[in-house]
Amino acid sequence: MDTLFRLVSLHQHHHHHPQAPPAPSSPDQHHHHHHHQSPYSSRSTSRSTTSTGSRSSPASHHTHTHHYYPHSHSHYNNSSNSSGSYYYYYDPAAGAGGGGGGYYYDHHQPAPYQEECGNDHGFYMDEDFSSSSSSRHFHHQPSSAAPPAAPANPPPASSPAPTPPQPPPAQSSAGGHGGLFEAADFSFPQVDIDLDFSSPASSSGAAGGSGTAAASASSGGGGAGRWAAQLLLECARAVAARDSQRVQQLMWMLNELASPYGDVDQKLASYFLQGLFARLTTSGPRTLRTLAAASDRNASFESTRRTALKFQELSPWTSFGHVAANGAILESFLEAAAGASSSSSSSSSQPPRLHILDLSNTFCTQWPTLLEALATRSSDDTPHLSITTVVPTAAPSAAAQRVMREIAQRLEKFARLMGVPFSFRTVHHAGDLAELDLDGLDLREGGATTALAINCVNALRGVAPGGARRRDAFVASLRRLEPRVVTVVEEDADLVASESDASSEEANTDAAFMKVFTEGLRFFSAYMDSLEESFPKTSNERLALERAAGRAIVDLVSCPASESAERRETGASWARRMRSAGFSPVAFSDDVADDVRSLLRRYREGWTLQEPGTDDSAAAGVFLAWKEQPVVWTSAWRP
Amino acid sequence: MLQGVLSRAPATESPAAAAMKAKRAPASPDEEEEGEGRPARGKRQQLLGLGSAAAAEGPETRGLRLLSLLLRCAEAVAMDQLTEARELLPEIAELASPFGSSPERVAAYFGDALCARVLSSYLGAYSPLALRPLAAAQSRRVAGAFQAYNALSPLVKFSHFTANQAILQALDGEDRLHVIDLDIMQGLQWPGLFHILASRPRKPRSLRITGLGASLDVLEATGRRLADFAASLGLPFEFHPIEGKIGHVADAAALLGPRHRQQQQDEATVVHWMHHCLYDVTGSDLGTVRLLRRLRPKLITIVEQDLGHSGDFLGRFVEALHYYSALFDALGDGAGAAAAESDERHAVERQLLGAEIRNIVAVGGPKRTGEVRVERWGDELRRAGFRPVSLAGSPATQARLLLGMYPWKGYTLVEEEACLKLGWKDLSLLTASAWEPTDAAAATPRRGSQET
């Protein structure tokens, strides 16, 4: 691929003299540009032949990775900038400091230009202010007229002071601003939030700041100390209170500060702002569809795999659940296989047949280690393993089918290598998981199956909450399959609007919105924070994970709960559902617990294993915590 | 409109034919609004022609898709079709990446800027945010990024070297110097000047710098560092910080300082200004011109970006896309480069270039106001009673040495009229110029009638 620059340059070569068609004068344009030269007509006199040369392609990974353990942590070398100061040393800390001079303010109005300079030279009135950029798209009532420009008295130094407005020229107000937001003039600095921009700056500083540890310690995973969390919560409250002027001001601030490519605060601001924007324009489902379609079009097996493997390599977020679930599945299978061979000697010619119903969205990254363990730990005959994996898709997706075909081939190849008799089936299921026809899956393979395991990794939240206790009903339907073991891994966040399955009316109240927004912000702050600290600064895989989180955020903030597959629940809440469906928890064996602990030691500091609190008698499973905040819950159950 | 043009132009057509075809497409009333006197339409259609023709070429598909999507999105914004623009943004974001090849990187920042622009258009709120705590954090980041930029690209050094040489050349023999830096930031430029002044047989009797900036804290820290450095060289030095913008300074005497009256006879004043789009430096361009006219400094040194800041949105967008594509191209791809290097490049692109792109794409352009602004400072300075001082001598030599010293390939240096232009593969990026007051008595003929 060549550069955009060369493409543009190349093209200019063909068209040295663009003839702009004469256009009639628009009433909004007062200053004509009589001698404005085309930037292209004079600059590009010869076609540039320089190319950027060939780029080395990254080394291809052709082994199917079947280890969960990262080999090194060498990415975290925040070496300081060695090439910077050309003339003299610059101390980045020297720029910091508090107090100091007054807030600079000037309410000088620009003088009308024509009086001074005539109109035959290089001034130009930007017509942006005169014709476009209406705000008519909002559904809000017009806010009351913005107050007049503040006088020149500086606001208190401690309070954030939005920039003094430099009002657009008079004609702007005559344009398309009669919409739901007046053209804003934020001269009212009454945002009663003390924003601290200092600590996160170091983690995103230019050349490897040294304050990362301190910053992350203070900000934690929770987002409480983050400016983004403060502003976003204020903004959400204003949305709930329908205070459109405040919404406008806070969204303006967030928009100025946000960036999907910035530090954790800026990313949170960017993705949650996108959600709030979609909510305010009642375009949540549409925005989500557009985002998902764009992601789907550009997803390949390679990119999907790279992202999943990198995530496993650098963070225990997914591997934690895999290791624990595989441990529980393996133990129950070995038990079942031993029981089968001892009880019926007649069928000993046939190896036991194990079946996993895999309800998860983890692209089968979990299974190679299980295959390996089955091969090495089975006493005599290696049992036959069938996997039926259900791939949830919002809509039939060519990309998902491509990816799963490739995965199936690789898994089958790997099973042959391991000597495990294996069959694999993919079921693409569009829509809510509760509508999956479990009986139609023939999980018993006509009665041949010795033992069935159901593996639910981030799957149960795919059953949209809502009336008729849909989640309880789905868990009960799993119970009817009479599995030997059910492993449930879920991200630990309380994103269902009310304790019992809420009716959809209840789920859409302002209180429910605030609850989900607040908890979503907490959870995704921890997630983004862990990604930021686990991945190198420039990582496309991290970007892909963040974008996926961004889609979940849009779903949570702007889409109805009844259509959502992102409404996570806490581990405690899932445990209650499992128990009430007739399951009882299986404690992880010491072996499995040791595996999980040794897994966590392979990652950077900050990850810990947490037992559920003793205050909830229904509790089960264990939690993965990032900086003491539980983020992923894993558990095993039997009927 | 744009998609229509794209789909009507068969991929097999030559770029020229496709562009010609595009040009014949009937203009809608929407389009006519934009282009008064501006070649935006022509430019856009050229780019379109390119897109449709080269799409058949294969390996460049991703870059071309991004180019085409960015232009479609910008056109939707220009026509106030914000819903349509929003539909295009996710595709741009997915194809682009701030960590990819240079087309992916530049597209990532333009996509992000368009996203911010769409939201601010909905909100009807355009002005930049100026929070005190934010300003300090930003100023630290920008300072760090500037240092990284200084190491990765010759642009910063070019600006410093050229202006310093112009100052030394014009003020040869002066022994009281006063430099007014309209946007001093960390003052990275001045130690170089100090060094040369100190190495001369006759050191200046006094050396003052007046620095303007948004934060007094930052200014004072800069002043302390400069004072320390001057002291280590045995130079007399004073620093005068002014918190504010030059265009808002009402009185020229405030710039000259309290000892103005005693010193004005023998003190030579230089005004220096390195342009960028990170924020609005002048506050008011017209106020700045008025002030310079009254101040009549012995020399004005300016380094301008060869990038139009005014004009309609689409023209500005296309021109900036071209300009920043060159800058990102110049920073290289180097996917396999050392992690530290790509981290630094990322910091530069995000803190500096990406921030500039956001401002350019924002409503109202870099100033974020509808205020009239100076497009070509040379013309304005001529009218204000200044004439260009040739940089052909020692500044050009220095700049040439600079480019020779580093392994940067693709940068070009051109002397044009009295100015020096640093370019990348024939696209001029920066123009350095120096100006002195036109002496009314000595009717020297003006050098050069018109600069570009």
Side-chain angles (χ1 to χ4, degrees), chain B residues 56-106:
Chain B
E57 287 170 18
E60 297 178 338
T61 307
R62 197 183 186 84
L64 285 168
R65 270 178 77 194
L66 279 168
L67 183 60
S68 153
L69 284 164
L70 284 169
L71 292 170
R72 279 170 63 190
C73 188
E75 184 169 78
V77 167
M79 299 196 298
D80 205 24
Q81 293 169 352
L82 300 182
T83 308
E84 190 185 323
R86 280 173 79 186
E87 295 283 311
L88 294 166
L89 289 170
E91 185 79 18
I92 294 171
E94 284 287 343
L95 282 166
S97 162
F99 318 121
S101 63
S102 67
E104 291 166 4
R105 300 201 314 271
V106 77

Side-chain angles (χ1 to χ4, degrees), chain A residues 617-631:
Chain A
S617 58
V622 287
F623 294 89
L624 173 71
W626 169 249
K627 293 178 182 171
E628 306 307 319
Q629 275 200 76
V631 287

